[in-house]
Amino acid sequence: MVPLTHLVVGYLFSKTYCEMLGIPCGSEQAFTAVTIISSVFPDIDIFFGKKINEHRNTIFHAPIFWISFTTILIIYCFFNNSFLPYSVALGFGVFSHIFLDWFSGRTIGIRLFYPFSKKMYSLFPLNPAMGNVSFLPNKNDQEKYLKFLGNYFNNPFLALAEVGIYIIFLLTFVSRALQ
């Protein structure tokens, strides 16, 4: 999914966790910030590749790394209980990102067992050649980038899922603003 969708899902989770479930989460603003930042953090690996199909090849998109990291955080929370909500926020943000990348992968998926295996997994068939375009398209890449976007959105299920996430976000945001 596009980076904005990762942010929106992080926001929606933080509001659901803090308000609808009634679970105390300390400072709601800090909790929301941790969730939102962690929901886009795995994409830090865009700085290690120049093309769209070159990212997700690092530990930042590796579930094994994040399972280990969040396990260490949870163990730490046995000694510092006030940190638990933020560990939940970080874990959900990161794992929602990885799930959405698996769910919406069109050019590259995620490497479930990286670094032990480099096999890509995705809900839909992958076409890595379509992702051979710069993250920030330049004049020479405009046609390739439009083909990339067309390939991504030619799946009606994915397009509707992405639009549905934004509709839920807008409804949540507006309802909070009217309170």
Side-chain angles (χ1 to χ4, degrees):
M1 299 222 159
V2 297
L4 184 59
T5 306
H6 290 299
L7 290 169
V8 166
V9 169
Y11 173 85
L12 289 171
F13 171 75
S14 70
K15 297 309 169 193
T16 300
Y17 186 86
C18 288
E19 294 174 11
M20 296 177 79
L21 298 179
I23 298 171
C25 50
S27 168
E28 185 177 338
Q29 291 81 12
F31 183 86
T32 299
V34 170
T35 309
I36 290 172
I37 291 167
S38 64
S39 70
V40 292
F41 186 79
D43 277 340
I44 196 168
D45 61 10
I46 65 170
F47 296 110
F48 305 121
K50 295 182 181 184
K51 306 278 186 182
I52 289 174
N53 62 3
E54 292 175 354
H55 91 295
R56 301 185 192 162
N57 294 328
T58 68
I59 62 168
F60 298 112
H61 273 90
I64 291 172
F65 170 76
W66 291 110
I67 289 168
S68 302
F69 187 79
T70 54
T71 300
I72 291 168
L73 282 178
I74 289 169
I75 291 169
Y76 173 76
C77 289
F78 283 117
F79 304 105
N80 184 354
N81 197 27
S82 64
F83 193 66
L84 182 61
Y86 304 105
S87 298
V88 170
L90 183 129
F92 183 81
V94 167
F95 286 108
S96 71
H97 182 104
I98 291 171
F99 172 79
L100 290 174
D101 281 353
W102 167 81
F103 178 80
S104 65
R106 302 291 284 141
T107 57
I108 54 175
I110 61 163
R111 296 174 184 213
L112 284 177
F113 304 106
Y114 184 85
F116 306 108
S117 170
K118 294 188 178 191
K119 182 179 178 183
M120 292 277 188
Y121 294 87
S122 179
L123 181 61
F124 298 102
L126 298 172
N127 184 354
M130 292 301 289
N132 193 23
V133 61
S134 299
F135 282 107
L136 300 171
N138 55 40
K139 190 175 182 180
N140 298 331
D141 279 345
Q142 285 179 349
E143 188 176 323
K144 281 177 155 181
Y145 196 75
L146 289 173
K147 284 183 181 179
F148 164 77
L149 290 175
N151 180 58
Y152 181 80
F153 286 107
N154 77 350
N155 182 319
F157 180 73
L158 282 179
L160 288 173
E162 195 127 2
V163 169
I165 289 170
Y166 289 110
I167 290 170
I168 292 168
F169 166 74
L170 289 173
L171 292 172
T172 303
F173 192 78
V174 169
S175 71
R176 284 184 48 82
L178 295 175
Q179 291 178 349

